[in-house]
Amino acid sequence: MEPRKRPGRAPAPAGRTARPRQAEVARLAGVSQATVSLVLSPKPDGKGRIISEETRRRVLEAARSLGYVPDPAARRLAAARNNLLGVFSFTATFPTDVQHSYYPFLVGVEREAAALGYDLVLFTGSSTGGAGAAGPDALSRVRLADGCLFIGRHTPRTELKRLVEDGFPVVHLGRREELEGVAWVGADYVEATRDVVGHLAGLGHRRIVLVREDDDAPASADRQRGFLEGLEAAGLPSGPATVFRSADPQRDLTPERLRAWADEGVTAFVAEETDTGAAWRGLLSAVREAGLDCPAEVSLALLGSPPADLASEPVPTGFDIPRPQLGAAAVRLLAALVAGEEAREPLVGCVFRPGPTTGPPHARTERP
């Protein structure tokens, strides 16, 4: 005799071992995960965004076809709202120095959270080696808050994806399109980088090289995209030779390499900003050791702000990242998700920064 099926719920697909997640229901129904949450976990007071009957029907049918059953633990946590928003950094050292690049983000986070009536919980597990160092459940403690904001270039994808699939409100500060379902806010690095390249082209530079670290962080990818688009828009060479990618720019960017580029007609270099500042440090060191004068012989630009310990140096041409505004936007988005609302913050524009490190190319290094 065949086992009886539970009424109102289709059996899980054959061969499946993991419980279906809200993210899968959303994909099958063709709606956002926030909409699925509103349909399957309505607020007890009846308040919230109105869902059309057609949308509700699609969500319920998708849930039945997948055999979706709400996680009781997740539902209890979702119901226990306490007006707390979490902040978790994936950087090994949690920012305590006001000169740290993450500090302005936190300023914006704190101000906006206070304005919206939320308290903040800072999860500092990253100070002992990063979120992934404590095992697969390292991020589970963030569920103490109503939702959590994550900061950092490199994230433990599996753990973060599990939070999203469980319907826990998550916002990443910085673009994270490669993680499906993760809400994020970000700066428009593509347009800002195009502006920097356009400035150099306007000064007369015809050979420009980008120096970047060797990783796949979205912030790096956006800067490279903007760089190449800027070259193409100016009618300049934009092939692979225009990007120098290294796991250790401070080691691999040698004076000899700089002189060789200069002899080939390269007159300007652009470096990305990262947590380590390795690309900019390596570029500055190589230019000085090569004996090249900046900006008389070579122009330099930084796609972001210089490291705090180089504050005594002239502030280079580049752009400023609106960190407080990004922090505030992340809190607004997280608060909306906690409330069960569909929301998306637009990209925040960066401000072009003129500086003394760029000028017209030196006649000796120009090429026809």
Side-chain angles (χ1 to χ4, degrees), residues 267-284:
T267 58
F269 295 89
V270 176
E272 67 167 346
E273 176 197 345
T274 64
D275 298 342
T276 66
W280 182 242
R281 295 177 197 278
L283 181 58
L284 282 181

Side-chain angles (χ1 to χ4, degrees), residues 63-85:
R64 281 194 293 269
S65 69
L66 290 172
Y68 173 82
V69 177
D71 181 353
R75 295 191 68 171
R76 286 195 299 272
L77 285 169
R81 300 298 183 208
N82 52 21
N83 265 30
L84 291 178
L85 300 181

